[in-house]
Amino acid sequence: MAPSTEEPEHGAPPASGQDIDETKTSAQESTLDKLHPYVQVLNLNDLESVVNLENATFPPNEACSREKFIYRLTTCGELCLGLFASATPSTPHSPLRRLSESSFSHPADSTDPSRKEVLLAHIVATKSTSQTVTDEDMALPPKWQSNPHADPHLGHKEEGRTICLHSLAVLPEYQNQGLGRTLVLSYIQRMQSADIADRIALLTYDRLVPFYERLGFEYRGKSKAQYGGGGWNDMVLDIKNRLGSV
């Protein structure tokens, strides 16, 4: 799906759209300059921050479940990326200051224990053998911890060459300020450089199709995925043959 939404508990829209930054304005550039955001791969140590961000961004019926986050961060954390900033109790940005004081924040600087990492946005993904995102790709395999290969048709497929972008979420306080676009572009570059896939696929709403087209994604028609009642659009970006930057 498209940026800043996430997936319902039973399946997952890869991103829907509360933070789609159509163009980067001077105000957005100013926000980025002030926040000094940086990206890094997510892992299970970031679980509470990811869950908090998800729940702050989406209503309960759309938010990805903790179990699904644990599954994805465990099995394919290298496909999951976070956009972070650091903050201290004296940071002027109140959302950053509040989150830096949370129980799940981590030290950002070994020389300054009061400076903590704050997760501003995240992308969570898996790999698939399909060309587009399917309901099976979005599923949580039963008993995956005790028997990872119990159902090879569900969830992450390591041998796949399609990255399924299931979740793009941005803190509500920082939506429409360029963070979603910044994270998506960084993600595309990283996946292309790593050469671990041929394409990135996602599902999105009608109104977000133009945004993804401007980032290089190709509209592939209405999706067959039926989670949440269906009605999604398939978008695919060819990263194997992608040249230049957006």
Side-chain angles (χ1 to χ4, degrees):
M1 281 183 39
S4 181
T5 97
E6 235 308 280
E7 23 189 59
E9 299 256 346
H10 56 276
S16 74
Q18 303 162 18
D19 179 63
I20 295 303
D21 315 297
E22 296 287 344
T23 57
K24 185 180 287 186
T25 66
S26 59
Q28 292 171 346
E29 291 176 345
S30 176
T31 296
L32 293 174
D33 290 340
K34 292 177 181 179
L35 292 175
H36 302 293
Y38 55 93
V39 296
Q40 62 186 29
V41 174
L42 296 170
N43 57 51
L44 279 176
N45 290 330
D46 301 304
L47 176 63
E48 297 306 323
S49 293
V50 169
V51 171
N52 176 77
L53 171 56
E54 183 76 4
N55 291 338
T57 308
F58 306 104
N61 66 319
E62 293 184 359
C64 179
S65 68
R66 173 184 294 269
E67 291 73 23
K68 192 171 288 184
F69 277 134
I70 293 174
Y71 166 69
R72 291 173 177 167
L73 293 176
T74 299
T75 58
C76 50
E78 72 279 4
L79 301 178
C80 305
L81 196 65
L83 184 70
F84 294 83
S86 64
T88 68
S90 60
T91 295
H93 294 272
S94 57
L96 290 185
R97 184 171 62 250
R98 171 177 54 80
L99 290 171
S100 73
E101 297 171 344
S102 66
S103 61
F104 49 80
S105 62
H106 302 297
D109 185 348
S110 59
T111 64
D112 182 3
S114 68
R115 181 167 294 278
K116 303 295 182 65
E117 284 187 339
V118 175
L119 182 63
L120 302 174
H122 69 233
I123 283 178
V124 177
T126 63
K127 288 171 71 176
S128 171
T129 54
S130 300
Q131 296 276 318
T132 56
V133 181
T134 69
D135 286 318
E136 289 76 16
D137 296 323
M138 294 185 287
L140 177 65
K143 301 180 180 179
W144 66 270
Q145 291 173 308
S146 59
N147 189 355
H149 306 294
D151 192 335
H153 302 293
L154 301 180
H156 175 65
K157 303 171 185 66
E158 184 60 32
E159 73 279 11
R161 294 293 295 179
T162 298
I163 293 173
C164 298
L165 199 165
H166 297 294
S167 172
L168 170 54
V170 179
L171 275 177
E173 296 91 337
Y174 294 102
Q175 290 175 6
N176 301 309
Q177 297 185 51
L179 301 186
R181 183 175 187 275
T182 296
L183 182 56
V184 171
L185 292 178
S186 178
Y187 189 82
I188 291 171
Q189 292 175 344
R190 283 179 172 241
M191 296 301 107
Q192 185 176 31
S193 297
D195 192 26
I196 58 176
D198 298 332
R199 66 194 65 82
I200 298 175
L202 54 82
L203 307 178
T204 192
Y205 299 124
D206 291 344
R207 70 177 186 276
L208 296 180
V209 169
F211 167 77
Y212 282 108
E213 288 180 329
R214 283 192 287 275
L215 292 181
F217 283 81
E218 178 185 349
Y219 174 67
R220 294 290 181 85
K222 290 296 182 180
S223 173
K224 293 181 180 179
Q226 292 300 306
Y227 84 86
W232 304 103
N233 298 295
D234 281 319
M235 304 293 293
V236 177
L237 173 66
D238 181 351
I239 57 175
K240 188 175 182 62
N241 300 307
R242 179 175 179 265
L243 299 175
S245 58
V246 178

